[in-house]
Amino acid sequence: MSTTADAINAVKARFDVKVDEYRGEHRVVVPRDSLTAVMTLLRDVCAYDLLLDVTCVDYLNYRGATDRFGLVYLLANSTTAARLNIRVMLNEPELTVDSVVGLWEGANWMEREVWDMFGINFAGHPDLRRILMPDEFTAHPLRKDYPLQGRGERHNFPSITRDQA
Amino acid sequence: MALAIPENVVVSKLDELANWCRKNSLWPMPFATACCGIELMATGASRHDLARFGAEAFRFSPRQCDVMIVAGRVVMKMLPVLQRIWQQMHEPKWCISMGACASTGGVFDTYCVVQGIDRFIPVDMYVPGCPPRPEQLIQAIIDLQDKIAAEGTLTGREFKTAERQQPKRALMELPILGQTPVFPSRPIRGGMARPDTNSQGVG
Ligand code: SF4
């Protein structure tokens, strides 16, 4: 099995997925519960052995959108350079998906970043801590309902005067 | 009454002697966090040659430095580091805020970028520009030398004046939303080297 079409057919045959195509790029929308199974199939059978990126899109107030978050996995086949875009749609309050760290070690920090920026919870992640923001930060700043200028966190420090130094 | 002064002896004040020594051997602490740091490096390199002003000895240990040059934007995760390094420097010490980002946050008005380091540490000189040219930074160092020569004392009494202890203008004029102001509003007096009060212009 080598082509993207073959891989998509294999996934379609076993899972309830939605596939669309835009300018030769294929996007497969996978239900939340079958993510691990789909990823295992793609990695082990269809040779999509490289996880390029894990990221997320917040569709709040997006024209025509029905789901709040779109979790994005970019896969590549390292021999044929074929690419595949896997997406999992999430809605509050069920913002938990299974971690893929068991399949790709490299997903560790990418999932931490998605947790930090969007507050998506990855079940089974070995070390789900914030990666960019300080540990005591409470918000998830890339969500669209978080104000661009923050909620005053950037001013929340003591001011040092001359005689304190 | 004639006082017999031998040849090659100059009479001065101890304060002046200390100022003369200090201002001509400023050791910068390069706190270069972003693109302004490149101009800072250019200032120290051969073309602009900061050594002409006695400030070429960049040291990465705060214990050895006199003047901290904050070159670049400071994010909220970096600010505690900045404050700690500032506190680790020995008196007498000065701070130059280089560029729009260090002075005001610049174009980065976002949740994580500190809107001006002078809210949190004392600043002596502001250098406008994005990035400032090396000439502007050199001008700031020359102005800082003038400032040291004009007001410095051997024991550092000038750092203890009421004006120096005054909270920064940004904190007084822009209280943080939803919080009661830490400092009561007070009129601003001269004495601090703000860009608008510094008639020499820093660049
Ligand atoms: S002032 Fe301009 S050059 Fe300097 S750090 Fe900010 S963006 Fe970069």
Side-chain angles (χ1 to χ4, degrees):
Chain A
M1 213 176 301
S2 56
T3 64
T4 312
D6 291 338
I8 289 172
N9 286 336
V11 174
K12 255 186 178 166
R14 292 185 41 201
F15 302 98
D16 172 29
V17 297
K18 222 167 66 217
V19 181
D20 46 40
E21 195 209 323
Y22 181 71
R23 291 189 178 171
E25 297 273 332
H26 295 270
R27 180 171 75 172
V28 183
V29 182
V30 174
R32 190 162 64 102
D33 300 327
S34 34
L35 177 71
T36 313
V38 172
M39 291 302 219
T40 313
L41 175 76
L42 284 172
R43 187 188 73 154
D44 296 343
V45 182
C46 310
Y48 279 94
D49 50 354
L50 180 63
L51 177 68
L52 293 175
D53 201 4
V54 181
T55 182
C56 188
V57 185
D58 186 349
Y59 287 109
L60 184 70
N61 301 331
Y62 191 86
R63 186 170 17 96
T66 50
D67 300 285
R68 171 75 195 269
F69 293 103
L71 194 57
V72 181
Y73 294 83
L74 300 180
L75 298 185
N77 180 330
S78 62
T79 23
T80 65
R83 304 204 169 214
L84 201 56
N85 181 341
I86 309 291
R87 200 162 286 212
V88 182
M89 294 304 186
L90 298 170
N91 284 293
E92 281 174 310
E94 288 118 23
L95 293 183
T96 305
V97 285
D98 287 332
S99 168
V100 295
V101 175
L103 296 171
W104 290 277
E105 273 291 321
N108 190 320
W109 283 15
M110 299 193 265
E111 288 183 351
R112 278 177 66 186
E113 184 180 352
V114 172
W115 156 250
D116 192 359
M117 291 291 140
F118 293 93
I120 309 291
N121 203 3
F122 291 91
H125 190 287
D127 181 26
L128 198 62
R129 284 179 295 132
R130 286 186 181 274
I131 188 168
L132 295 173
M133 302 309 290
D135 286 338
E136 60 275 8
F137 203 78
T138 48
H140 298 289
L142 284 196
R143 289 190 180 185
K144 294 287 181 202
D145 51 3
Y146 182 80
L148 173 64
Q149 296 171 346
R151 301 202 176 101
E153 295 94 341
R154 63 185 181 181
H155 300 315
N156 214 358
F157 295 95
S159 184
I160 293 181
T161 56
R162 271 281 175 185
D163 56 353
Q164 277 174 297
Chain B
M1 189 178 75
L3 203 61
I5 295 177
E7 219 175 314
N8 292 335
V9 170
V10 179
V11 180
S12 178
K13 285 189 289 183
L14 211 47
D15 281 350
E16 306 253 315
L17 178 67
N19 292 344
W20 180 70
C21 297
R22 283 174 187 163
K23 80 177 189 135
N24 290 309
S25 90
L26 290 170
W27 286 32
M29 160 85 223
F31 198 93
T33 47
C35 13
C36 273
I38 305 297
E39 297 297 303
L40 178 60
M41 292 173 222
T43 313
S46 53
R47 187 180 177 92
H48 297 280
D49 200 9
L50 203 51
R52 293 176 295 157
F53 306 93
E56 81 280 17
F58 285 79
R59 284 293 179 274
F60 293 89
S61 156
R63 298 289 189 209
Q64 301 177 350
C65 297
D66 305 300
V67 50
M68 177 149 85
I69 302 180
V70 184
R73 61 200 87 93
V74 176
V75 293
M76 52 181 290
K77 212 168 169 181
M78 199 56 159
L79 189 75
V81 180
L82 176 74
Q83 289 185 323
R84 197 184 174 97
I85 288 179
W86 171 254
Q87 289 189 315
Q88 283 174 338
M89 286 168 63
H90 291 304
E91 294 276 13
K93 59 188 175 186
W94 299 273
C95 178
I96 294 178
S97 167
M98 179 180 178
C101 289
S103 307
T104 65
V107 294
F108 302 98
D109 191 6
T110 67
Y111 59 95
C112 55
V113 180
V114 168
Q115 302 295 295
I117 56 161
D118 60 351
R119 286 169 167 247
F120 304 110
I121 63 168
V123 173
D124 293 282
M125 283 290 157
Y126 298 80
V127 191
C130 176
R133 284 196 52 91
E135 292 90 327
Q136 286 174 275
L137 182 62
I138 290 173
Q139 182 66 53
I141 287 177
I142 294 172
D143 287 348
L144 184 62
Q145 290 178 334
D146 290 348
K147 182 177 177 175
I148 295 169
E151 63 168 24
T153 55
L154 182 66
T155 53
R157 278 193 313 280
E158 79 273 18
F159 295 128
K160 306 274 185 282
T161 58
E163 266 159 13
R164 294 269 194 161
Q165 304 310 326
Q166 203 169 302
K168 293 297 174 193
R169 184 166 65 177
L171 271 185
M172 293 190 289
E173 289 183 353
L174 306 166
I176 298 158
L177 281 183
Q179 288 182 21
T180 44
V182 194
F183 304 103
S185 244
R186 264 190 283 162
I188 293 141
R189 287 174 293 151
M192 286 194 325
R194 305 292 308 206
D196 49 7
T197 57
N198 184 352
S199 58
Q200 301 262 308
V202 283

